[in-house]
Amino acid sequence: MSSSDRNSGESKFELAISFLLGAGVVTSLILITVGIFLLYAEFGSLAVSEKKVMFLQEKNFFYFLYDLLRGGSSQEKALWTMTLGIAVLILTPYARVLLSVLYFFWEKDFKFSLITLFVLVILTLSLAAH
């Protein structure tokens, strides 16, 4: 592979990463904003609640995400939308590392593949532990 081909591939990869991070943040912002408007429309206030539904109740983040996407905790639409926005924000850098692992394996750059795979394992264990 020539140097210009590699630079073109890196440029496309950087563009893909940029798009992924931007899309994740914008999607999260939209979901949280819509959730705030729904919360205000439902209750006429933006007061913080200490109801049990406001707190993480699952074993770890992956169970929490599964329950959220399944709609299993009978949350109001506003709270569900805001929680989904926060989950998207948390998963955005995770998806970036996953994309990096795939890219480095595709490019047969095993040194960086192992490094980013190690980072992915640490992030996964961290999300699974909390």
Side-chain angles (χ1 to χ4, degrees):
M1 179 185 290
S2 72
S3 176
S4 65
D5 289 341
R6 181 173 285 268
N7 288 341
S8 174
E10 288 174 7
S11 173
K12 288 179 183 177
F13 172 67
E14 290 168 1
L15 187 62
I17 291 293
S18 175
F19 178 77
L20 174 73
L21 293 175
V25 169
V26 168
T27 302
S28 175
L29 179 65
I30 290 169
L31 288 168
I32 291 170
T33 303
V34 167
I36 289 171
F37 282 119
L38 289 173
L39 184 69
Y40 189 76
E42 262 183 64
F43 299 106
S45 166
L46 295 177
V48 176
S49 172
E50 292 187 23
K51 288 193 269 182
K52 190 175 180 178
V53 73
M54 298 290 281
F55 298 96
L56 183 65
Q57 299 174 27
E58 298 296 336
K59 295 178 186 178
N60 63 45
F61 181 75
F62 296 112
Y63 282 110
F64 170 74
L65 188 61
Y66 174 74
D67 191 44
L68 177 70
L69 294 176
R70 196 173 53 109
S73 62
S74 69
Q75 299 175 347
E76 297 96 1
K77 286 182 183 180
L79 186 58
W80 184 88
T81 305
M82 287 189 291
T83 306
L84 183 61
I86 292 169
V88 167
L89 191 62
I90 291 170
L91 289 174
T92 298
Y94 186 81
R96 187 251 191 263
V97 173
L98 182 61
L99 186 62
S100 295
V101 167
L102 296 174
Y103 172 76
F104 289 131
F105 272 114
W106 178 266
E107 289 293 317
K108 295 180 176 69
D109 189 342
F110 296 112
K111 176 182 172 184
F112 285 110
S113 296
L114 291 176
I115 292 169
T116 53
L117 187 60
F118 176 74
V119 171
L120 183 65
V121 167
I122 296 298
L123 285 173
T124 303
L125 290 174
S126 175
L127 290 174
H130 293 90

